[in-house]
Amino acid sequence: MQDKKLIRGIVAQYKPDMILVGLGFNDMGWFVSGAQGTLDSMKTFVDEARVARPDVKFAVADVPQRTYIGGRDDLPLSTTQYDLMLRDAIPLWSTPVSPVQLVNWSGNYTCARDACPAGYDGLHPNALGEFQIAHAFESTLHDRYGIGQIVPDVPPSVPDRPVGVAANVRAASSDLGVTVTWDRVYGARGYTVRSRLVGATAWTETPVQANRYDTTWTQDGWEWEYSVRVDDAGDGTSAWSPVVRATAHPHTAAAPTEILTHPTMDGVDVSWEPAAGPYSDSVDRYEIITLDKDTPGAVLQSTAVRGTSAHIGGLTTGHHYVVAVATWNTVGGGMPAIARPVTIGARTPPVPTDLRIKSVDATTVQLDWSGSPQAAGYRVWYHKRTTSNPWLSDETISDTPGRGIAFLFPGNWNFEFAVTAVNGQMESARSDTVSVPAPPGTVGGSTGAPGTGTSDAFRKAVRTGGASAPDAGQDLARLRKAPTASPGSVPTAHPHT
C-alpha cells in the first residue's frame, strides 16, 4: 500500500534492469487490507514501476507464514489465499518486454504456525532464514532468467552472526527525564537497555530498536543507572556495556491532584484538580491512561483532553482497570498519578471477609482475606491498640487479597488491622479486625518506648510495601511495562463541560 505510491520515483531515479520484491505481509498483518486488497496493491506496484521503465523485469515473492498470534486466526488464512491468487495472477501481469516471475518464498522458508526455525521472532529471518530467502530468489533468477550457472544449496549449518558491542554509552538529563545514547552497531537487530534507580537491586530490561533510550515518568533528583547490550535474539547477545549514571531534571509538570474515578456501565468518569508547581505555566492538556488488568498482553490506552474531567468509554464490562492521569506541557508528558482503580459496570463492593494475620517477624505481618470480583482493589487500615487514635490508612491500593506490612515499630503486636474494598471512589465498610497476640512478658500489649514516629513508619510501610524504589507502586510498574496502543484503538473520551 505504501510502496506502490513510491516505486515510480525510485525506478525513475535509479533505472534498474530488474526489481526483486518481497512485500505484502504487513498489509495483511497490520489490517491494511485483506488478500484481495494486497494483490491489487501489488498489481499497482508493477504498473507504477513500468511507467518509469516499461521494460523492467520483476521477481515477485509470495508471503511466508509466521508463528501463530493469539486472536489472529485471519492471518494464516489470508496469507494462504494471497499466495494462491498471486500464483494465478503473475502470468497475466507478465509481458514480453517486462516479464514477471514468481519467487517461492513461502516454500523455501521454514516458518509455520507452530515453529519458525528460520526466524528469530517467529517471522523475521535469522542467519538460516537469510540463506533460505536468498535461495528462493536465486532459484527464480537462475531458472526463469538464466542468471548464474548454479543455485547453491542452503548450507547445513550457518555461520554465527557477528555480534557487535555497544560503545560510547552516554546518559544525560533531558527535558523528559534522562536520555541514553550509544554508537550505532552495524548489523544489530536491536538492543536491550537495563535501567534502575541508584540503590535498587533489580534491573528493568527494555528492548529498543534504535541507539537511544529515554527514561520518562521520573521525578527531579532521581539518579538512574544504565547498561546496554546488542541483542540479535536467537543469534546471540553481546556483553553488557559499563554502567553509566545520570540524574533526572525533567522540565515536565507535576501530575494533577485530587483525581476521582467513578465507574460506569461502559467506562469511567475521571475528574481532577489542575496541575500546579514548576513548569505548570505551559500546561496544554491532560492524558488519561487506562490499562485492562484482566486481559493478558493488554496495551496502554491514552486519551488527551483539555479541561479537568472526562468520561472514558468503550471499556470492557466486568474488567478491572488501572487509571492514571498525566500532565502535558510544552516539552511533553510528565509522570502520571495513579488514581483509584475501577471495575467497569460494578457498584460498591462488599466488605472483605475472612481476614487473617500471620506474624512474619517482630515488625512484619502478612494479611490475607477473601475479596470479590466487584472490588477493583483493597485498602489496609490500622489502629494502634494502646491509644484511642482513629483508624488510619492511605491511598495505596492492593489489587490482590493479600498484603505484607513491615516496619511495625516497636512491635507488630501493638497494632490491629482491617481491610476495605474499593471501586473507584466507592468503598465498603471496614472488615472485622485482626491482630497478633502480644509476646509473653509484655505489659499492656506494648513493649519499649512508644516512639513518636510510629505512625509515620507505618504509613511508609503501607505506602511502599517495604520496597526501596520511589516507583515501586505495582500499578505504576505495570504501566511502565505495558506497550502503547496504536492510534485508532484507544477508547473514546468525552470531556465534561
Side-chain angles (χ1 to χ4, degrees), residues 261-263 340-343 376 422-427:
T261 55
H262 297 274
R340 284 194 174 192
V342 293
T343 306
V422 301
N423 181 18
Q425 302 312 123
M426 297 180 288
E427 187 165 5

Side-chain angles (χ1 to χ4, degrees), residues 403-417:
R403 187 79 179 276
I405 307 295
F407 305 118
L408 297 173
F409 298 108
N412 59 19
W413 57 91
N414 290 279
F415 300 91
E416 56 183 342
F417 303 87

Side-chain angles (χ1 to χ4, degrees), residues 362 384 386 408-414 438-451:
K384 194 171 183 185
T386 56
L408 297 173
F409 298 108
N412 59 19
W413 57 91
N414 290 279
T442 59
V443 179
S446 179
T447 183

Side-chain angles (χ1 to χ4, degrees), residues 173-240:
S173 177
S174 56
D175 282 344
L176 290 174
V178 176
T179 296
V180 184
T181 59
W182 55 94
D183 293 345
R184 185 177 69 89
V185 178
Y186 178 78
R189 289 199 181 103
Y191 309 89
T192 299
V193 178
R194 60 180 183 180
S195 60
R196 65 185 178 188
L197 286 159
V198 173
T201 55
W203 291 96
T204 296
E205 296 187 4
T206 306
V208 297
Q209 296 301 308
N211 55 321
R212 170 173 170 158
Y213 175 79
D214 290 278
T215 292
T216 60
W217 293 5
T218 180
Q219 293 185 4
D220 185 71
W222 286 7
E223 187 178 10
W224 294 84
E225 57 185 1
Y226 306 87
S227 183
V228 182
R229 73 180 181 192
V230 175
D231 191 344
D232 282 338
D235 288 325
T237 58
S238 73
W240 290 104

Side-chain angles (χ1 to χ4, degrees), residues 12 18 40 42 51 76 95 142 216 221 229 258-259 261 289 300 315 352 361 367 401 409 457 468 490:
M18 180 179 290
D40 295 341
M42 186 62 76
V51 171
T95 71
H142 176 269
T216 60
R229 73 180 181 192
E258 303 297 329
I259 305 173
T261 55
I289 303 167
L300 285 183
L315 306 185
D361 57 42
L367 299 174
F409 298 108
S468 60
V490 299

Side-chain angles (χ1 to χ4, degrees), residues 48-117:
E48 284 291 293
R50 284 171 171 163
V51 171
R53 179 162 183 174
D55 63 344
V56 68
K57 299 176 177 64
F58 296 89
V60 178
D62 61 9
V63 172
Q65 297 286 352
R66 65 150 297 140
T67 53
Y68 178 69
I69 301 174
R72 290 304 308 275
D73 294 324
D74 63 298
L75 188 53
L77 297 177
S78 60
T79 300
T80 298
Q81 183 183 5
Y82 171 77
D83 288 348
L84 292 173
M85 292 193 301
L86 183 68
R87 282 169 169 75
D88 293 338
I90 276 182
L92 303 177
W93 297 350
S94 194
T95 71
V97 297
S98 178
V100 183
Q101 299 293 342
L102 178 70
V103 175
N104 186 15
W105 184 343
S106 62
N108 285 274
Y109 196 62
T110 54
C111 197
R113 175 190 173 99
D114 298 322
C116 188

